[in-house]
Amino acid sequence: MIRAVLFDLDETLFDHRAAVAHAATAWTRTLVPGHEPPAGVLALWLDLERRHLPAWHASECSFAEQRRRRLRDFCGRLRLPLPADLDAAYAEFLVHYETAWAAFPDAADTVDALSGRGLTLGVLTNGEPVQQEAKLRRIGLMDRLDPVLTPDALGGAFKPAPECYLAAAAKLGLRPTEILLVGDDRERDAIGPARVGMRGVWLDRHGTGHTGGPPTPPRITSLRELPALLT
Ligand SMILES: [Mg+2]
């Protein structure tokens, strides 16, 4: 019996991609006034996140350092002038990013639909805790989701390491089989948790489907499909 639902945050409750699309364009314009950013800045930014975040996950560099590495590559790939102070430049990027913070339209509705069922409703995110909690406050879900679990509080284990899910279950005081995790990353949010006995649900917002063969975790294309899975 499921007693807790854990949501991933970025691209699950929180529209990270839209906020990055706004910020990457706006910030690039400030670097070279009058120069229109090329198409593909969003794809490049998201690709550099995928390339550089793992070094932080593996404790090979600090959270701030992986941000500097992303900016260096971003400017290099677009042939933009590299800011002298990368931390200050990233802070300027964050101003643009934060102005565009928003939830997906189905996020609050789904939390509403699951409330009152006696379930613990929380968050399990690979992000940095201060920023992730600020996002949840901005989108109005901080007071409605508890706990908010990040690797900082889970022995430094990131999804999809089994230790991450097991530490989350321990924090909840539940067996893994009593927990459902839902998120946009098929491996981290659906296949990984299933390896330790959790119920993992893949939120395939873009309807890309999967053609890579098994395993094929439960798949939904909107959070609004989630309550029906719990009846
Ligand atoms: Mg995500």
Side-chain angles (χ1 to χ4, degrees), residues 85-115:
D85 185 338
L86 291 174
D87 292 342
Y90 204 95
E92 289 167 17
F93 172 85
L94 284 177
V95 170
H96 297 293
Y97 178 55
E98 291 175 10
T99 60
W101 279 2
F104 284 104
D106 56 5
D109 290 352
T110 303
V111 172
D112 285 344
L114 293 177
S115 296

Side-chain angles (χ1 to χ4, degrees), residues 103-186:
F104 284 104
D106 56 5
D109 290 352
T110 303
V111 172
D112 285 344
L114 293 177
S115 296
R117 292 197 187 190
L119 294 162
T120 294
L121 302 177
V123 171
L124 178 60
T125 166
N126 270 357
E128 187 274 334
V130 173
Q131 186 177 53
Q132 299 303 72
E133 290 185 9
K135 289 176 185 171
L136 285 164
R137 268 190 292 279
R138 173 74 72 81
I139 64 176
L141 292 177
M142 187 64 196
D143 294 337
R144 309 197 55 199
L145 299 169
D146 183 29
V148 176
L149 299 171
T150 64
D152 271 35
L154 300 172
F158 289 79
K159 300 180 283 185
E163 296 79 12
C164 176
Y165 310 111
L166 295 173
K171 286 275 183 190
L172 293 169
L174 295 173
R175 293 190 293 271
T177 52
E178 296 174 312
I179 300 167
L180 183 152
L181 174 59
V182 60
D184 69 293
D185 190 298
R186 189 173 167 275

Side-chain angles (χ1 to χ4, degrees), residues 8 10-12 184 189:
D8 168 58
D10 292 316
E11 289 303 289
T12 297
D184 69 293
D189 299 316

Side-chain angles (χ1 to χ4, degrees), residues 34-80:
H35 171 74
E36 193 56 23
V41 286
L42 169 63
L44 174 59
W45 190 274
L46 295 175
D47 179 56
L48 294 174
E49 284 183 346
R50 282 189 289 271
R51 287 170 188 268
H52 288 295
L53 280 167
W56 171 54
H57 294 174
S59 301
E60 293 168 9
C61 72
S62 67
F63 189 61
E65 175 57 23
Q66 59 81 25
R67 285 177 161 175
R68 294 178 203 122
R69 292 175 181 181
R70 282 196 269 146
L71 282 193
R72 275 190 210 104
D73 278 2
F74 185 78
C75 291
R77 293 273 291 277
L78 295 181
R79 301 181 192 283
L80 296 169

Side-chain angles (χ1 to χ4, degrees), residues 105-107 109-110 220 222-228:
D106 56 5
D109 290 352
T110 303
I220 57 177
S222 163
L223 287 175
R224 292 195 174 93
E225 297 169 53
L226 191 62

